[in-house]
Amino acid sequence: MTHAVQEAPPESVLDGLDAEQRAAASALTGPLCILAGAGTGKTRAITHRIAYGVRAGVYDPHRVLAVTFTARAAAEMRSRLTALGAPGVQARTFHAAALRQLQYFWPITVGGSLPQILDYKIKLLAEAGKRLRMTTDRAGLRDFASEIEWAKVSTLTPEGYLLHATDREAPAGADHQAFARLYQAYEDIKEDRHLMDFEDVLLFTVGMLESDERVAAQVRQQYRHFVVDEYQDVSPLQQRLLDLWLGGRDELCVVGDAAQTIYSFTGATPDYLLSFRRRFPEAEVVKLVRDYRSTPEVVKLANTLLADRRPGGAASWPAPLQLISQRRAGPSPELTEHPDDDAEASWVAEKVADATGTGTPLSEIAVLYRTNGQSQALEQALATAGISYQLRGSERFFSRPEVREGIAALRTSSLIADDSTESVPEAVRGVLSSLGWSSQSPSSAGAVRERWESLAALVGLAERLAEERPQLTLKLFLTELEERSAAQHAPTVEGVTLASLHSAKGLEWDAVFLVGLCEGLMPITFAQSQEELDEERRLLYVGITRAKTRLYLSSAAARHPGGRGRRKSSRFLIPLRRELGLEEPTRRIAPGNGKLSVNAAARKRKAAVCAGCGEVLTVGTQISRRRCAECPPRYDEDLFEHLRAWRRGYAQELETRAFMVFSDSTLEHLAEHKPLSDPELLKIPGIGERKLELHGERLKAAIRAFTDAG
Ligand code: ATP
Ligand code: MG
């Protein structure tokens, strides 16, 4: 906390807010509900509200509990609160908050040690299946696991499931009876082994608070003010826990956007958000409509997507609020189709390289997809291009075997380490290099890369924490890792974020790629009912509204190179294409031929057209080259080859990948325009101030060498 922050009057916290946000942030007591669209500053408003309450002396920081959806969001909130002059407030996920209470009260109420947390249900489920002589494959086990998760967050025991859930389709082709038996067997084995799963953390806490008045009283004594972000996705189990924490009091502030409900499949429901006024008739309700995050171009697409929704469907999804962008005009979102997944991924990598060339940091770029399986092609393309990335929302970071091995090795080493001789990062690097970490990243995707990425993330975390806390010791670092592990908080490395749409909620980036927008993936094959299709639409809406400035929507006609292009572009793109002045593709795009029927409206709106023949382009690589596959290159092919050879040697010298220096399409533009001065170079796509500074002189020399020789 700086002195300036401490000395300024509490009201100064409200300075960065608009009138409605201020109204919300200064309503410090009583129930409050902020109901507003994406990017309108909901999270910002509640963070400022807490800070204001603390600084005005209305809240004791230790008596505030802020609950957010992800560990990352919680960490973000803690650091913002500190910056606003209100450190010490608890900001956690439901899960992490519950776990702390369990850890504290378990020895007193139950006695003995807390059961260990089980990361994976599959192994135990396989055992349970064997016990019951049920044969299932891995995919079946996964389905059982998610049904158990659903049952548990819906607070249904195996018997409860049979009584209340038989209208659901039983998972993996089993019948309800068989599933309930498997569920019970799983629970039994878990208990025998003194284990608890993710949902148990909440269930046990609820059980403890419900059955022990003293514990409940103590927890209520501790926390007086509650704030819940992303409240549209609260599950019945989380709501029950929240009610127990409140114990009939009403110091509760909830924040949400029903149009961003994307976790219905896990039992979450926006009903609690939408009926807040009914539960608390005296509640203040604040609505925000100004979108501070995204450009008007991005906001328009988001609005169009929601407006196109067919009437009917879930009654609990009210007419969406129209967002109004507060930002200046930006680039038009790009909508492209590619022959196959690999081509789409390479195009993404090329665009990412171009964006970094013009100064966008990798941490401001995200590639979002519907299913985790889609990350493979993207990982490969980014690795080939030498672009570092981090995966989010796939296998939980601390569940990965290499992370566990790494932590175990660090623990062993902490027992013998001498903190005075080596810094924590040095020690961590030393230990982890025996497990496959090195300062150079592997150039392949897949298991080796994943292992390296995980270990590198541990190293990065050690470096960051050591910087923040000069007193850090290896033992303290391990304690921190344990806490994060409990919260499933993966450390971030500087890199492009690869994430599922689900795990991107609440976050924002300058440039966002939404890939794989074809039928079967978006909407996903299993979304059939109107409700399910609505949820897919909201998921895409969440994706679009993550973008601050640049938005790229893309799809691929086939999964594999050479495969027949049979995938249909997503139905959700139809209104968006219209909005962007692009017509429906009138014929399938064959690999390497990105032409659509000529579309005059598109041209008027500056859709990408071939510089040779004026055809509208939709294949990514052709758009960046501004030339269809059939028009001859306009650049000097000899110069292009000369520059490629130069780039190879130069990249080797810099120990980087050729791609990271300049992309092929940048070389083509260079070979076309032969720029020899800085202003000319800056006009070339893919060359910004940063690249000019880094490589400008060498590049000019390379071009000059060629033109002089010619
Ligand atoms: P989501 O629904 O996606 O969770 P949100 O409503 O929580 O979005 P925030 O993340 O709080 O929105 O804000 C979006 C962006 O707009 C942030 O970068 C935030 O700093 C900025 N912002 C919000 N309000 C203001 C304001 N009054 N002035 C300037 N910037 C603002
Ligand atoms: Mg938010």
Side-chain angles (χ1 to χ4, degrees), residues 620-669:
T621 45
Q622 295 176 12
I623 291 175
S624 55
R625 281 167 204 166
R626 299 204 189 112
R627 215 185 49 251
C628 76
E630 276 147 38
C631 281
R634 289 158 47 116
Y635 56 84
D636 181 329
E637 289 183 70
D638 291 337
L639 175 54
F640 178 72
E641 287 310 323
H642 168 81
L643 287 174
R644 269 171 70 104
W646 166 78
R647 182 181 63 175
R648 206 175 308 126
Y650 182 56
Q652 262 167 13
E653 207 177 289
L654 296 180
E655 293 184 351
T656 181
R657 313 232 136 218
F659 213 109
M660 280 306 275
V661 180
F662 295 115
S663 66
D664 277 358
S665 86
T666 298
L667 293 193
E668 287 175 8
H669 285 289

Side-chain angles (χ1 to χ4, degrees), residues 381-397:
L382 291 170
T384 310
I387 298 168
S388 76
Y389 59 85
Q390 50 163 329
L391 271 167
R392 177 177 304 288
S394 50
E395 189 179 8
R396 290 183 184 128
F397 181 78

Side-chain angles (χ1 to χ4, degrees), residues 10-18 21-22 24-28 34 41-56 59 77 80-81 83-84 86 227:
E11 288 71 26
S12 65
V13 170
L14 305 175
D15 285 351
L17 303 176
D18 69 23
Q21 292 171 337
R22 269 179 99 98
S26 37
L28 293 178
I34 306 180
K42 296 184 293 299
T43 303
R44 183 171 162 122
I46 53 168
T47 312
H48 282 69
R49 178 178 180 267
I50 297 171
Y52 179 50
V54 168
R55 299 216 8 227
Y59 303 157
M77 189 173 277
R80 283 205 212 169
L81 284 168
L84 290 170
V227 177

Side-chain angles (χ1 to χ4, degrees), residues 137-209:
D137 56 9
R138 231 184 137 71
L141 289 174
R142 268 206 309 266
D143 288 351
F144 285 129
S146 32
E147 188 70 358
I148 290 182
E149 277 161 22
W150 177 85
K152 294 182 85 159
V153 300
S154 305
T155 63
L156 292 174
T157 58
E159 297 117 68
Y161 185 88
L162 284 179
L163 284 175
H164 300 290
T166 41
D167 55 334
R168 284 172 70 84
E169 198 183 317
D175 60 45
H176 294 99
Q177 287 286 349
F179 169 72
R181 273 201 304 277
L182 183 74
Y183 179 9
Q184 187 61 56
Y186 162 83
E187 290 288 313
D188 293 343
I189 298 178
K190 188 162 54 63
E191 206 185 319
D192 289 348
R193 309 249 164 96
H194 201 52
L195 295 168
M196 62 179 175
D197 63 22
F198 229 58
E199 294 73 36
D200 286 336
V201 173
L202 296 192
L203 281 166
F204 290 1
T205 314
V206 162
M208 196 171 70
L209 292 169

Side-chain angles (χ1 to χ4, degrees), residues 120-341:
Y120 267 146
K121 291 195 174 62
I122 306 284
K123 235 172 91 188
L124 232 74
L125 264 176
E127 251 186 270
K130 230 188 238 155
R131 233 184 232 192
L132 300 173
R133 292 179 209 287
M134 274 170 78
T135 46
T136 38
D137 56 9
R138 231 184 137 71
L141 289 174
R142 268 206 309 266
D143 288 351
F144 285 129
S146 32
E147 188 70 358
I148 290 182
E149 277 161 22
W150 177 85
K152 294 182 85 159
V153 300
S154 305
T155 63
L156 292 174
T157 58
E159 297 117 68
Y161 185 88
L162 284 179
L163 284 175
H164 300 290
T166 41
D167 55 334
R168 284 172 70 84
E169 198 183 317
D175 60 45
H176 294 99
Q177 287 286 349
F179 169 72
R181 273 201 304 277
L182 183 74
Y183 179 9
Q184 187 61 56
Y186 162 83
E187 290 288 313
D188 293 343
I189 298 178
K190 188 162 54 63
E191 206 185 319
D192 289 348
R193 309 249 164 96
H194 201 52
L195 295 168
M196 62 179 175
D197 63 22
F198 229 58
E199 294 73 36
D200 286 336
V201 173
L202 296 192
L203 281 166
F204 290 1
T205 314
V206 162
M208 196 171 70
L209 292 169
E210 277 176 348
S211 61
D212 196 322
E213 255 318 306
R214 282 169 317 161
V215 171
Q218 208 172 325
V219 169
R220 285 172 201 151
Q221 168 70 19
Q222 168 73 56
Y223 296 114
R224 304 263 169 84
H225 303 276
F226 297 86
V227 177
V228 187
D229 199 358
E230 306 275 359
Y231 190 57
Q232 75 278 0
D233 272 324
V234 74
S235 72
L237 178 55
Q238 291 166 336
Q239 180 62 46
R240 198 151 135 194
L241 182 57
L242 183 60
D243 287 339
L244 284 162
W245 284 340
L246 280 165
R249 296 169 298 173
D250 65 359
E251 290 304 326
L252 171 65
C253 163
V254 298
V255 179
D257 174 13
Q260 293 186 70
T261 305
I262 56 173
Y263 278 91
S264 303
F265 70 101
T266 65
T269 159
D271 294 349
Y272 300 108
L273 174 71
L274 298 170
S275 63
F276 192 75
R277 236 317 171 26
R278 238 172 290 143
R279 267 194 75 195
F280 298 102
E282 70 288 14
E284 194 158 332
V285 176
V286 176
K287 297 195 174 173
L288 312 171
V289 287
R290 294 186 205 92
D291 181 323
Y292 290 95
R293 175 181 295 142
S294 312
T295 62
E297 287 79 2
V298 171
V299 166
K300 204 166 191 182
L301 276 200
N303 285 336
T304 302
L305 178 69
L306 285 199
D308 187 61
R309 170 188 176 247
R310 277 227 320 265
S316 60
W317 189 18
L321 301 162
Q322 283 269 323
L323 295 173
I324 304 161
S325 172
Q326 299 301 298
R327 296 204 33 207
R328 272 192 299 167
S332 179
E334 284 186 31
L335 203 156
T336 55
E337 278 193 54
H338 306 264
D340 54 68
D341 285 354

